[in-house]
Amino acid sequence: PEKEDVLKWLSSSKEIRPNRLAKVVVRAKGETYELIVDLTIGSIISDQVYTGYGYPPLTFSELFRASKLPLKYPKFKKSILRRGLNLSEVSCVPFTVGWFGEHITKRTLKIASFYRGGSVNVFARPIQGISIIVDVDSMKIIKYTDRLRAPVPKAEGTDFQSTKGKPNSTTCNITNGGFSIEGQMVKWGNWNFHVAFNARAGVIISTASIFDERKRKFRSVLYRGHVSETFVPYMDPTSEWYFRTFMDIGEFGFGRSADTLQPLIDCPGNAVFIDGYMVGADGLAQKVPRAICIFERYVGNLAWRHTEINVPGKVIRSGEPETSLVVRMVATVGNYDYILDWEFKQSGTIKVGVDLTGIPLMKATSYTNTDQIRENVYGSLIAENTVGVHHDHFLTYYLDLDVDGNDNSFIKTKLQTAKVSHQSTSATSPRKSYWAVVKKTAKTEAEARIQLGLEPAELLVVNPNKKTRLGNHVGYRLITGQPVNSLLSDYDYPQIRAAYTKYQVWVTAYNKLERWAGGFYADRSRGNDGLADWSQRNRAIDNKDIVLWYTVGFHHVPYQEDFPVMPTFHGGFELRPANYFESNPLLKQECKTC
């Protein structure tokens, strides 16, 4: 539904639901069809052929069918036989191919091959040197190359299966509180929010509001939040690798890649599981069992504490343990597993986390020791005959914040060094400098693009129409993680497609059609539709309905500890109240003067 209609419905008696429409994308006869379906009346109200750049996401059926083509292809059979390998132990994995300036007429995939042969770790035993291009619409191999050979890494030491069994995690997660789920609405403590599952984004959090004890009402924080796009470029320019510059959300989909969660491993014993539903390639409902879990977390952290020793004759100690509520899903996209968390705290903070794990993407090599390497292998030797290729992970989040209302502003607060002026302070002060706060409200989208790490800054979304009793504008602060920039050249084709990663922070005017940072049709896109392109319009964003975009980044240099499976690597950010409340909401003091 339209955002305006949803907000009106939420504030009404909720008897009459807003009219709902669905966009249906159909790939048939080599063309992409876009249909708009009115779900209320069950009728198609719009039908057109898409003629722009890019293609729809790949379906599981298409990827599966493409993976089987080489096993019946005569040239591939000969290549496997010449390498002395057993064809029945070969797995073929299709990869998207990106765009490199060429005129595109076909929807294609490239197939990489791997040898199981005594191992369940498919990606640990790559068969190097074979390139296969598949036309997806005709489902035929249209190009085949076998240009080099390298020893297939051995199977020994590649098994990633745990021998420890399932742990008993319930004891450290039993809490006295609780939460309720009514349909898709979650209620916990002072939070209310909606949880949804989407084929493209996976888990989506929406209409999140928090109860203010002083004002005795719920106040809005986040209208909608989810991962919008990823960018995973590998740093090997050779013919078998240069195209591996994946945009997982738009090319595959986190929802389509959502894994069934394992109780006591993926989620603790006190978790409640929610099934995910989406439309399959055949148009029918497709179920992902236990796609999302929700649980209270207590790990021994403190929400706050203090010891006061300056009261005569007393030592006063007080504090509270921190319990939070976590919404989690896991997307397994080929070799990598993304663990996505939305963590809600009673303090009003929303902590968003992503953990990377899974199997590094590797290539076979003749080298067994680093002393032998005399060329650029574009990675690290992490096992004998195995190079873990250097690469990046960027996850761009869509955050439609509605801080105590729709109309918000974005403020960049710089922390600048200032010299002490003895004319305005005591002449006896020995201080020479301090840092001062300099605030600037971004008026347009161009003013809100930020590359982090260049200077200290506080980033806030505020409601310029609402103030606290003390006169501060109510707001929420973006607490960023480690700043990671894309190091690719601006004119490199993968970077043109993923221009949204050149800045970690963007702010745009709200537009319901602008949700996917890499464009709606990301597969083989050219970068002409997406966040960087929309921002060029330089729309007004002061006291408007705005969207905050933030990119979590990782530069991954593989190490031996990443083999045969990588320990989790964490990144994320926080949305934290900034003058949103009159005081610390954890103390729940009633306002006697409001």
Side-chain angles (χ1 to χ4, degrees):
E2 296 287 345
K3 179 177 180 179
E4 181 181 0
D5 294 337
V6 172
L7 295 177
K8 286 181 180 179
W9 178 73
L10 287 172
S11 61
S12 69
S13 60
K14 302 182 182 179
E15 292 179 0
I16 302 176
R17 289 182 176 273
N19 192 40
R20 300 173 67 215
L21 304 178
K23 183 173 184 177
V24 180
V25 177
V26 179
R27 183 72 183 174
K29 299 179 181 179
E31 292 188 306
T32 300
Y33 297 86
E34 295 180 331
L35 290 75
I36 303 298
V37 177
D38 189 318
L39 299 178
T40 304
I41 62 176
S43 177
I44 296 174
I45 60 175
S46 174
D47 181 359
Q48 64 181 14
V49 176
Y50 173 73
T51 58
Y53 299 123
Y55 295 104
L58 282 303
T59 67
F60 175 80
S61 174
E62 290 170 329
L63 295 170
F64 179 79
R65 291 170 61 198
S67 72
K68 299 303 179 185
L69 291 177
L71 302 178
K72 298 180 180 179
Y73 194 66
K75 291 182 179 179
F76 183 73
K77 290 181 178 180
K78 290 181 180 178
S79 294
I80 297 302
L81 185 63
R82 284 197 296 266
R83 286 169 168 78
L85 304 176
N86 184 347
L87 185 66
S88 66
E89 294 288 342
V90 173
S91 291
C92 296
V93 178
F95 293 136
T96 52
V97 300
W99 170 71
F100 294 89
E102 73 274 30
H103 176 62
I104 296 173
T105 59
K106 297 181 184 297
R107 189 166 168 244
T108 57
L109 291 165
K110 286 192 176 182
I111 309 293
S113 52
F114 302 85
Y115 194 61
R116 300 186 304 276
S119 175
V120 298
N121 193 340
V122 173
F123 291 98
R125 306 196 71 197
I127 302 171
Q128 200 68 18
I130 300 175
S131 295
I132 305 168
I133 300 179
V134 170
D135 181 335
V136 177
D137 289 327
S138 66
M139 204 51 69
K140 293 180 180 179
I141 293 174
I142 57 175
K143 187 175 181 180
Y144 184 87
T145 306
D146 184 356
R147 74 176 189 93
L148 60 87
R149 299 184 195 178
V152 175
K154 61 186 179 180
E156 182 183 354
T158 63
D159 193 350
F160 62 83
Q161 297 175 97
S162 176
T163 59
K164 296 181 180 179
K166 292 185 177 181
N168 180 5
S169 67
T170 58
T171 55
C172 61
N173 278 286
I174 292 177
T175 56
N176 293 325
F179 60 93
S180 64
I181 304 174
E182 299 177 11
Q184 302 297 120
M185 288 298 301
V186 178
K187 297 180 179 180
W188 174 78
N190 49 359
W191 281 103
N192 277 2
F193 57 89
H194 183 277
V195 176
F197 181 81
N198 177 277
R200 187 161 182 157
V203 64
I204 298 176
I205 303 295
S206 58
T207 61
S209 62
I210 189 166
F211 189 75
D212 189 325
E213 289 279 350
R214 289 176 178 251
K215 297 182 181 295
R216 306 304 300 170
K217 68 176 184 178
F218 279 95
R219 300 167 64 193
S220 62
V221 177
L222 178 73
Y223 179 73
R224 180 183 285 132
H226 58 79
V227 184
S228 174
E229 189 54 270
T230 66
F231 180 44
V232 188
Y234 283 79
M235 301 300 143
D236 187 336
T238 59
S239 60
E240 290 83 16
W241 280 82
Y242 75 89
F243 60 90
R244 302 188 194 201
T245 54
F246 307 119
M247 295 164 67
D248 295 328
I249 296 284
E251 293 173 341
F252 304 107
F254 268 10
R256 295 181 187 89
S257 306
D259 201 1
T260 294
L261 298 173
Q262 309 165 90
L264 300 182
I265 296 177
D266 295 321
C267 309
N270 62 334
V272 173
F273 294 89
I274 299 176
D275 298 332
Y277 292 89
M278 56 191 169
V279 178
D282 56 2
L284 300 176
Q286 182 178 329
K287 177 181 176 180
V288 182
R290 301 197 304 271
I292 296 170
C293 72
I294 303 176
F295 58 93
E296 282 191 320
R297 170 187 281 164
Y298 171 67
V299 293
N301 291 338
L302 290 173
W304 68 270
R305 83 169 308 279
H306 180 60
T307 298
E308 181 58 71
I309 61 173
N310 293 299
V311 176
K314 295 182 179 180
V315 176
I316 302 172
R317 295 185 181 91
S318 190
E320 292 181 20
E322 181 175 74
T323 302
S324 59
L325 188 75
V326 178
V327 180
R328 172 176 294 169
M329 74 158 284
V330 175
T332 300
V333 188
N335 56 304
Y336 262 100
D337 296 68
Y338 295 86
I339 304 167
L340 306 172
D341 281 358
W342 289 79
E343 183 176 1
F344 294 83
K345 299 186 178 186
Q346 301 276 10
S347 63
T349 294
I350 303 175
K351 187 175 181 180
V352 182
V354 55
D355 288 275
L356 306 184
T357 182
I359 315 296
L361 209 51
M362 298 167 273
K363 66 177 182 179
T365 179
S366 60
Y367 303 120
T368 58
N369 190 282
T370 56
D371 294 339
Q372 303 166 350
I373 300 175
R374 297 291 184 269
E375 61 179 335
N376 191 344
V377 295
Y378 310 106
S380 310
L381 195 68
I382 59 175
E384 291 184 4
N385 305 118
T386 306
V387 169
V389 178
H390 298 152
H391 60 283
D392 294 328
H393 292 269
F394 297 101
L395 294 92
T396 299
Y397 280 80
Y398 172 97
L399 302 163
D400 181 6
L401 286 162
D402 281 357
V403 177
D404 212 14
N406 267 22
D407 295 335
N408 291 171
S409 297
F410 179 71
I411 296 178
K412 180 179 180 180
T413 302
K414 296 182 179 180
L415 309 182
Q416 295 182 341
T417 302
K419 295 181 179 179
V420 173
S421 171
H422 290 293
Q423 293 178 351
S424 58
T425 61
S426 171
T428 61
S429 174
R431 289 287 296 272
K432 303 294 184 183
S433 64
Y434 62 99
W435 59 257
V437 174
V438 180
K439 296 182 179 181
K440 182 181 179 182
T441 300
K443 301 296 184 181
T444 64
E445 292 173 323
E447 294 178 8
R449 301 176 200 141
I450 297 175
Q451 284 189 339
L452 298 172
L454 303 179
E455 57 185 357
E458 298 265 308
L459 307 176
L460 297 96
V461 174
V462 304
N463 188 327
N465 311 297
K466 303 281 184 68
K467 291 183 178 181
T468 65
R469 289 188 300 113
L470 301 181
N472 293 309
H473 286 118
V474 302
Y476 256 75
R477 180 161 53 122
L478 171 65
I479 301 179
T480 64
Q482 180 180 358
V484 177
N485 300 317
S486 175
L487 301 178
L488 299 181
S489 302
D490 289 347
Y491 52 82
D492 196 359
Y493 290 108
Q495 188 59 51
I496 292 173
R497 295 179 67 219
Y500 52 89
T501 61
K502 269 302 177 182
Y503 297 94
Q504 290 86 35
V505 177
W506 307 69
V507 179
T508 59
Y510 172 81
N511 183 323
K512 70 172 184 177
L513 300 179
E514 298 176 3
R515 282 181 60 189
W516 313 108
F520 188 75
Y521 294 102
D523 182 36
R524 310 214 72 184
S525 62
R526 299 189 179 189
N528 63 310
D529 176 36
L531 176 55
D533 184 61
W534 306 329
S535 181
Q536 290 298 323
R537 301 170 191 167
N538 204 23
R539 294 163 290 191
I541 58 172
D542 184 22
N543 201 12
K544 303 287 186 182
D545 192 358
I546 58 177
V547 176
L548 174 68
W549 308 75
Y550 175 70
T551 296
V552 178
F554 305 83
H555 294 309
H556 190 182
V557 177
Y559 294 94
Q560 286 182 234
E561 290 83 359
D562 294 335
F563 184 88
V565 65
M566 189 178 86
T568 53
F569 190 21
H570 181 78
F573 61 96
E574 289 186 26
L575 299 171
R576 185 170 181 144
N579 298 322
Y580 189 86
F581 299 102
E582 295 293 344
S583 62
N584 185 346
L586 292 171
L587 298 182
K588 298 181 180 179
Q589 297 173 346
E590 293 186 7
C591 179
K592 297 180 180 179
T593 60
C594 294

